[in-house]
Amino acid sequence: MAYLTRKLVILLLTLWVAATLNFVLPRLVPGDPVSVMLAKYQGRLDVAAVDALKIAYGLNDQGSALSQYLAYLGQLFSGNFGRSISLFPSTVTEVVARALPWTLGLIGITTVLSFVIGSALGLYSGWKRGSRLADALTPVALFLNSMPYFWFALLILYVFAFLLRWFPLSGAVDPFPGPTFSPPWWASVLRHAVLPGATILVTSVGGWLLTMRNNVITITGEDYIALARAKGLSERRILTHYVMRNALLPSLTSFGMALGFVVGGAILTELVFSYPGLGYALYQSVVNLDYPLMQGLFFIIAFAVLVANFLVDILVTVLDPRTRSGRA
């Protein structure tokens, strides 16, 4: 319990630091979002209109820096991230609400699948090392892990979407797929998700495979594995109760980080396929200098990573009794 309490305190402290940096850093950049908006649309407004826009974006100079900071924290933790500049008058919350389901559906599912498939193949490769198939998985994993996923995305997009025309070139759904959640709509969503999902799955499974394989090889060399064999335990029991459980523990932290960054989306993959997720929205916010949207997305990503790691810490306490006793 003390272990999880300490982790929770660290989570809250880190979240506060992330929120503070989110407040400070944009204010160190010359200019402000209102100036960017006026320059982009070549707008000419009177002083009162400009002041009204600055108040709407929380950029008015009224009050001290401390009072602005406290007001910012109050709005932040109430879910008010302000209004997007590039998608005005939509709020940041509305933009996130539109993009988040696409990112969770695509990046979330493929991240979980790549972890499960890669870990299973890594477990096999490490446990059966010396066999032809198990040893052949290692160079394949090294190749997949070193392959730039945006290059692979462009390659399969050119072959399967442009040349063969089996899948759409971009987007997440056809323009007129029918009623939402109807069978034609789901079919359209799945067709659009195949290529970006395959990109993430193929290029990330190798990393999980190599990590799991190395963990298995390290654990099989431990003394307690030799003791288990000396006691006459079956190989299957040794694999499931000793090797697999302990080999998964080091990978869980990395998996928690990967799950947290799911919320940020795979920026380059979503950019290549013009997939309307949070990664694509983050790219658009940077290109258009949309500071409110950038701030909102960065905070959401930081929050998701911290929460995912905290949940992994809880899972580790269940799988590893040493953490509950405070020795880990």
Side-chain angles (χ1 to χ4, degrees):
M1 189 63 183
Y3 172 79
L4 291 179
T5 303
R6 184 170 66 252
K7 289 291 185 179
L8 181 60
V9 172
I10 294 174
L11 183 151
L12 295 176
L13 180 62
T14 307
L15 191 62
W16 170 73
V17 172
T20 302
L21 290 175
N22 232 3
F23 174 81
V24 173
L25 292 180
R27 285 162 173 77
L28 299 178
V29 179
D32 57 71
V34 174
S35 301
V36 173
M37 180 187 292
L38 294 177
K40 178 180 179 181
Y41 296 106
Q42 299 180 350
R44 295 184 178 181
L45 301 177
D46 56 30
V47 177
V50 173
D51 289 340
L53 284 174
K54 289 186 176 182
I55 292 174
Y57 285 107
L59 299 170
N60 55 316
D61 296 328
Q62 298 177 359
S64 63
L66 179 60
S67 63
Q68 294 181 36
Y69 174 67
L70 295 177
Y72 159 80
L73 288 181
Q75 293 178 345
L76 191 65
F77 290 104
S78 65
N80 181 11
F81 296 100
R83 294 189 179 275
S84 169
I85 295 174
S86 58
L87 299 173
F88 186 85
S90 297
T91 64
V92 172
T93 304
E94 292 171 346
V95 175
V96 171
R98 289 196 297 265
L100 184 60
W102 298 110
T103 292
L104 292 180
L106 176 68
I107 315 297
I109 292 175
T110 52
T111 298
V112 174
L113 284 177
S114 66
F115 175 76
V116 173
I117 296 173
S119 297
L121 292 176
L123 179 65
Y124 172 80
S125 178
W127 183 251
K128 295 290 187 179
R129 68 185 184 279
S131 66
R132 183 174 301 178
L133 178 58
D135 291 344
L137 289 174
T138 302
V140 173
L142 287 170
F143 172 75
L144 295 178
N145 193 47
S146 61
M147 182 171 54
Y149 58 84
F150 65 88
W151 174 84
F152 183 71
L154 290 172
L155 177 63
I156 65 172
L157 186 66
Y158 176 74
V159 173
F160 295 103
F162 181 74
L163 292 181
L164 300 177
R165 300 185 183 276
W166 290 355
F167 300 99
L169 282 167
S170 62
V173 68
D174 292 330
F176 304 101
T180 305
F181 303 128
S182 64
W185 185 87
W186 279 113
S188 175
V189 169
L190 291 175
R191 286 181 63 249
H192 283 78
V194 168
L195 293 185
T199 299
I200 300 170
L201 184 63
V202 170
T203 56
S204 60
V205 72
W208 297 117
L209 190 156
L210 293 172
T211 300
M212 190 66 174
R213 183 180 189 274
N214 292 336
N215 294 341
V216 171
I217 292 175
T218 301
I219 290 170
T220 52
E222 296 290 339
D223 293 338
Y224 62 85
I225 299 297
L227 178 61
R229 287 197 172 104
K231 292 168 63 177
L233 297 181
S234 65
E235 291 294 302
R236 181 176 180 180
R237 181 175 177 81
I238 293 173
L239 175 63
T240 57
H241 286 71
Y242 294 92
V243 176
M244 184 173 65
R245 184 172 182 176
N246 288 284
L248 275 174
L249 288 176
S251 298
L252 285 177
T253 302
S254 299
F255 181 57
M257 291 287 290
L259 280 182
F261 281 111
V262 161
V263 178
I267 297 177
L268 291 180
T269 300
E270 291 187 359
L271 180 60
V272 169
F273 293 98
S274 297
Y275 202 81
L278 290 180
Y280 188 77
L282 180 59
Y283 169 78
Q284 293 295 331
S285 69
V286 173
V287 170
N288 295 298
L289 298 179
D290 192 340
Y291 299 135
L293 185 55
M294 271 191 283
Q295 282 183 292
L297 289 174
F298 285 148
F299 181 80
I300 291 171
I301 293 171
F303 178 77
V305 171
L306 292 171
V307 171
N309 276 275
F310 182 70
L311 294 177
V312 168
D313 288 334
I314 295 176
L315 181 59
V316 168
T317 60
V318 175
L319 297 177
D320 190 355
R322 293 174 298 174
T323 57
R324 295 196 294 269
S325 62
R327 294 195 300 269

